[in-house]
Amino acid sequence: MIGAQWGDEGKGKITDLLSRSADVVVRPQGGVNAGHTIVVKGQTFKLHLIPSGILYPDTECIIGSGTVIDPKILLQEFDQLERLNVSADNLFISQTAHVTMPYHRLIDQASEEQRGKHKIGTTGRGIGPTYADKSERTGIRVVDLMDADTLRKRLTWAINYNNVILEKLYNLAPLDPEEVIKEYQVYADRLRPHVIDSSLKIYDAIQHRKNILFEGAQGTLLDLDHGTYPYVTSSNPIAGGACVGSGIGPTMIDRVIGVAKAYTTRVGEGPFPTELDGELNQILCDRGAEFGTTTGRRRRCGWFDGVIGRYAVRINGLDCLAITKLDVLDELDEIKVCVAYELDGKTCDHFPGNASEFARCKPIYKTLPGWKTSTEECRLLEDLPKQALDYLKFLAELMAVPIAIISLGASRDQTIIVEDPIHGPKRALLDANGSPVLSST
Ligand code: GDP
Ligand code: IMO
Ligand code: MG
C-alpha cells in the first residue's frame, strides 16, 4: 500500500483498516519524517515509524531494513502506545536498518537554513543525511547499535568526521562522542528485544501463506528517483521500494494498492500545478485539517491531479485505489480535476520527469458539479449522492484504475469498501471491457 501523491494521503487510516485481515504489517522505507494518523473510537494515534497495524494485538509489525530509525523518537512512540494500553510486544526492528544520529538532525536543519530560498522544506528530522551516510557507507546500522564495541568504534569515527562539518561548514558546536555513545547505549538496551533479521521473518511468513501488508511512507511524487527531484525525500516510497526495503522478491507481492486524497496536498517546497490560493485553499485546509502530523506545518492544498494519478498508476503498477477525504469536498459548489497540463503551448498528458518542465506545467481542468451534502455517514455506494459517485467514476476512468475503498472521515467506520482489496478477486472492479467500474456486483 503506497501513497499515490505527495504523502499524507491517509495511509495510516487505510493500513489500520486493512490490518484487520493482515497477519504481518511491514514498514519498508522512510523514517520519522512520516506521520500516520489513526482514529479509533475517538482516540487518535500518531505514528512515525511503527507500522499502523500495531493496534491489532495479533498482528506482527516489522520496521524493515530500508527504513532509517531515530531511536529516541521510536522509543517515544513505544511510550505513547504503552500509555494508551497498546502492546509493542509484536513489534520487530530490522537489524540492517540505519540509525539516525544527532549530527544527522543538525546537518539536515543547518543545510536547509544555508539553502535559504532554495530549501527543500524537509521535516528537519535528519532523514536525508542518514540515507546519505548509508550510500556513503559510513552509516551506523541497528546491528552496530546492538554491539557496544562496534558502536563505540564507528560512532567515534563518525562524530569526529561530522564535527568538522558542523564546526567548519555550519559554525555549530561539536558533539561529544562519549555523550552520544552513552545516550545511544540506553536506546540500544531498550530496543534489543525487538531486533531481528526481518527479511528472514517476512520470508518465513510468506512460506506459511500469511497475509502481509507493506505500508509505504511518504508518496510517489516524493520518491528519490521518480518524484519531483530535488523536492523529494531520500528513500523510495513507490511500490518497487517495498521489495528493496523489506528484502523480498517482486514475485512475492500479489497486489498494489494506492492511496490518494480526493484532492491534493503537499507539504514542503517544490512545484504543485493544481495548488490553490485564497478562499478555496482555505476551505480545503480547514475542512481537511491539513496540518502536518510530524511538523505541524500547514499543507498546501489543490485540486485532484489526474496526470499525477496516472503517473502513480504506471510507476507503482497499481491494482486499485483507496480514495480518502471525499467528505472534505462536501460543501463545494463545483469541483475541478486536472486532466492534462499545458506545457509551453502544447497539451501534455503525462508527468514530465524533467523538473523545469514540470514547474512550467499549467493544469487543464474539467469542472464537475459538487454534491452539497454530507457524505460522512455514507457506508454503501448507494448512500452516496449521485454527483459524488459521478466524481469517483470520473477519477477511476481518468486514471484507468478501479477504486476499491472510499474514505469519508478519519474514523475506521467512515469507510465504504467497494471491493475487499486483499481478499476480493483481483479484477473484480473492471467491467467486461476491462474498464474500471465502481459497482461491486
Ligand atoms: P498519512 O501520512 O498518509 O498516514 O496521512 P496523515 O495521517 O498524515 O494525514 C491524513 C489526515 O487525514 C489524518 O489526520 C487522518 O486522520 C485524516 N483522514 C484520513 N482519512 C480521512 C477522511 O476520509 N476524511 C477526513 N476528513 N479525514 C481523514
Ligand atoms: P507521510 O508518510 C508528506 C516531505 C517534506 C519535504 C520532503 C523532504 O506522513 O506521508 P525529508 O524530511 O523527508 O527529507 O523531507 O518530503 N515529506 C513528507 N510530506 N508526508 C510525509 O510522510 C513526508 N515525509 C517527508 O515535507 O517536502
Ligand atoms: Mg502523514
Side-chain angles (χ1 to χ4, degrees), residues 18 43 53 58 85 121 160 174 180 189 194 235 242 251 288 319 322 357 369 381 387 415:
L18 298 179
Q43 203 166 34
D58 297 329
N85 284 325
N160 288 332
V180 182
D189 290 340
H194 300 272
S235 68
T251 50
D319 288 304
E357 281 183 3
L381 273 184
Q387 293 89 335
T415 314

Side-chain angles (χ1 to χ4, degrees), residues 150-304:
T150 313
L151 180 67
R152 171 168 296 279
K153 210 160 74 202
R154 288 188 70 89
L155 201 49
T156 306
W157 182 90
I159 289 179
N160 288 332
Y161 179 87
N162 281 286
N163 274 347
V164 179
I165 298 172
L166 291 175
E167 286 185 274
K168 301 272 187 260
L169 200 56
Y170 298 121
N171 219 5
L172 292 170
L175 293 164
D176 175 359
E178 285 309 316
E179 260 179 38
V180 182
I181 292 168
K182 214 164 104 196
E183 180 187 346
Y184 274 67
Q185 265 166 351
V186 175
Y187 301 149
D189 290 340
R190 273 194 77 188
L191 294 178
R192 186 165 285 108
H194 300 272
V195 175
I196 55 155
D197 179 336
S198 56
S199 160
L200 190 61
K201 189 170 176 68
I202 298 167
Y203 188 69
D204 185 61
I206 293 169
Q207 296 291 299
H208 285 89
R209 302 196 169 280
K210 294 199 171 158
N211 271 324
I212 303 166
L213 177 65
F214 298 88
E215 176 190 19
Q218 289 79 48
T220 302
L221 275 300
L222 289 172
D223 186 273
L224 180 59
D225 290 85
H226 301 283
T228 45
Y229 192 88
Y231 301 101
V232 293
T233 191
S234 298
S235 68
N236 289 110
I238 60 166
C243 289
V244 182
S246 314
I248 59 149
T251 50
M252 296 170 195
I253 306 268
D254 298 311
R255 292 171 193 212
V256 185
I257 305 164
V259 185
K261 276 178 192 168
Y263 50 100
T264 314
T265 63
R266 164 159 218 184
V267 59
E269 307 302 314
F272 179 3
T274 62
E275 183 169 14
L276 289 163
D277 53 17
E279 199 191 349
L280 276 168
N281 178 60
Q282 191 70 38
I283 292 172
L284 293 181
C285 187
D286 289 349
R287 276 196 59 91
E290 295 296 358
F291 293 90
T293 311
T294 300
T295 57
R297 286 178 293 175
R298 192 192 166 99
R299 295 172 183 151
R300 300 155 66 191
C301 298
W303 296 121
F304 190 91

Side-chain angles (χ1 to χ4, degrees), residues 296-354:
R297 286 178 293 175
R298 192 192 166 99
R299 295 172 183 151
R300 300 155 66 191
C301 298
W303 296 121
F304 190 91
D305 187 332
V307 183
I308 292 296
R310 279 197 297 266
Y311 181 63
V313 171
R314 165 159 69 91
I315 218 93
N316 296 293
L318 294 186
D319 288 304
C320 63
L321 269 178
I323 295 286
T324 62
K325 301 191 110 166
L326 188 72
D327 56 297
V328 173
L329 307 180
D330 280 352
E331 284 173 9
L332 299 178
D333 294 324
E334 52 180 35
I335 302 164
K336 291 186 181 178
V337 176
C338 170
V339 292
Y341 299 140
E342 190 224 292
L343 173 60
D344 303 336
K346 292 198 180 99
T347 302
C348 172
D349 59 8
H350 65 275
F351 169 71
N354 177 325

Side-chain angles (χ1 to χ4, degrees), residues 8-13 35-37 293 299 324-325 327-328 407-410:
D8 301 326
E9 297 90 348
K11 299 178 293 295
K13 165 171 172 170
H36 299 177
T37 318
T293 311
R299 295 172 183 151
T324 62
K325 301 191 110 166
D327 56 297
V328 173
S407 173
L408 313 137

